[in-house]
Amino acid sequence: MSEIRTEAEAVADIAVDTVNRTNEVEPDSASIFVTVAKSTEVVKVDSFERFRSTPRRPRGTEIVHTPQSFIDLVTALAGEEDPVVYAHKAAPQIVAIVNHFGGWLDHRVTYSPKFDRRFSAWFSRNGKMVTQVDFAEFLEDHASAISIPDPADLIEIARNFQATSKVSFESGNRLQSGDVQFSYIEETGPKAGAKGTIKIPETFVISLPVYEGTSALAITAKLRYRITKDGLALGYKLVAIEDYIEASFLELADAIVTGLPQSLHLEGEAPSPVAPLS
């Protein structure tokens, strides 16, 4: 037996079908489709942009790895827009927001500078104390970065530390010359009981770029030492290193901005993209 609907039920079904319809509207000259479900009173919005061959507007974040790539891409994307460039020292990061003015702030180019490989090697050991052999080997391997004193002198000092790895260090004294003199006594072998000394400059200077693509800076390293029951521990402290890192970042940011077409550039963190109202 077929189901027989009443006239009232038929009218109700037509009403539901009429409410659960799809309407096309034209905000901002771009079609979107609004569906209102009567049962839940939820408004669902779908632009169907994903079915187009191209998006309606440029957006997204493009990441580059060199300053010149940043300049080239921002220049190409700018068109009639005036990008705003943010240089964020703490990140460190340089961000260009192409659609900053009157836009969603969601079309970006980002460049995160990297430490120069040689600087990174020195910076990673900043303030760390190691054995005299480890310290000597590091000086030998990275002597090319040393500008004061002569690298050959420090290599010779490094070899002396390696040769005296099995002695007992008794004291370390700062001399008027600016050197630190370590006194030691031979513990074993035919020279057991013999005493000797090793001198090393209390400060030395390394000349390196901090970030890739920046100019070399003369950075002072101050010797640190500790005599313990386990032997002599050595290290260094890079003087005012945070100031050098900041100066190098600002140099890099300035070079990038100089290479860009007219744009507003600021120091600080880039704002988040604008979130649409729900």
Side-chain angles (χ1 to χ4, degrees):
M1 180 176 179
S2 60
E3 182 180 346
I4 300 176
R5 292 193 303 165
T6 67
E7 181 178 349
E9 290 172 333
V11 171
D13 289 341
I14 293 172
V16 170
D17 290 340
T18 301
V19 172
N20 289 337
R21 68 189 185 280
T22 298
N23 296 319
E24 180 178 344
V25 295
E26 296 284 341
D28 298 327
S29 301
S31 297
I32 67 170
F33 297 86
V34 179
T35 301
V36 181
K38 180 182 178 182
S39 57
T40 59
E41 296 186 354
V42 172
V43 177
K44 298 181 180 179
V45 179
D46 193 338
S47 71
F48 294 102
E49 183 184 28
R50 63 186 181 277
F51 297 110
R52 294 166 53 97
S53 59
T54 58
R56 283 201 303 268
R57 64 178 179 82
R59 56 188 179 271
T61 299
E62 300 175 69
I63 299 172
V64 297
H65 298 289
T66 66
Q68 191 59 50
S69 295
F70 185 92
I71 292 170
D72 292 344
L73 185 54
V74 174
T75 301
L77 293 175
E80 297 180 358
E81 298 188 84
D82 294 324
V84 177
V85 178
Y86 289 87
H88 187 28
K89 293 180 290 188
Q93 194 175 72
I94 300 173
V95 178
I97 303 179
V98 181
N99 61 343
H100 191 286
F101 295 108
W104 290 99
L105 282 68
D106 59 356
H107 189 200
R108 300 173 174 228
V109 180
T110 299
Y111 169 56
S112 300
K114 294 181 179 180
F115 281 147
D116 179 88
R117 175 180 52 80
R118 295 162 296 170
F119 173 79
S120 185
W122 284 90
F123 187 60
S124 64
R125 286 177 170 249
N126 184 39
K128 294 181 179 179
M129 305 297 286
V130 297
T131 67
Q132 67 193 69
V133 173
D134 286 343
F135 184 78
E137 290 176 348
F138 180 81
L139 285 184
E140 276 198 288
D141 293 341
H142 298 84
S144 61
I146 299 168
S147 56
I148 301 174
D150 190 300
D153 293 340
L154 277 185
I155 290 176
E156 183 62 28
I157 291 169
R159 289 173 179 170
N160 287 338
F161 274 125
Q162 290 171 325
T164 56
S165 60
K166 296 182 180 180
V167 304
S168 177
F169 281 89
E170 299 179 317
S171 63
N173 300 305
R174 288 180 170 83
L175 306 177
Q176 290 185 347
S177 62
D179 294 340
V180 177
Q181 179 173 277
F182 298 100
S183 300
Y184 65 86
I185 183 170
E186 296 276 358
E187 293 181 324
T188 60
K191 295 183 179 180
K195 295 186 177 183
T197 59
I198 297 178
K199 288 194 301 183
I200 185 171
E202 185 178 14
T203 61
F204 52 96
V205 178
I206 60 173
S207 295
L208 290 171
V210 174
Y211 288 107
E212 294 177 354
T214 59
S215 55
L217 300 176
I219 302 169
T220 299
K222 188 172 183 179
L223 181 71
R224 288 188 168 183
Y225 65 91
R226 188 182 303 125
I227 298 174
T228 70
K229 60 182 180 64
D230 297 320
L232 178 64
L234 293 165
Y236 57 82
K237 182 69 175 177
L238 299 176
V239 179
I241 190 57
E242 297 301 329
D243 293 339
Y244 287 103
I245 291 174
E246 179 177 319
S248 185
F249 176 78
L250 293 178
E251 175 196 340
L252 186 61
D254 185 64
I256 286 176
V257 169
T258 301
L260 288 172
Q262 183 176 358
S263 62
L264 178 64
H265 52 280
L266 307 168
E267 287 187 26
E269 185 175 2
S272 299
V274 176
L277 296 176
S278 57

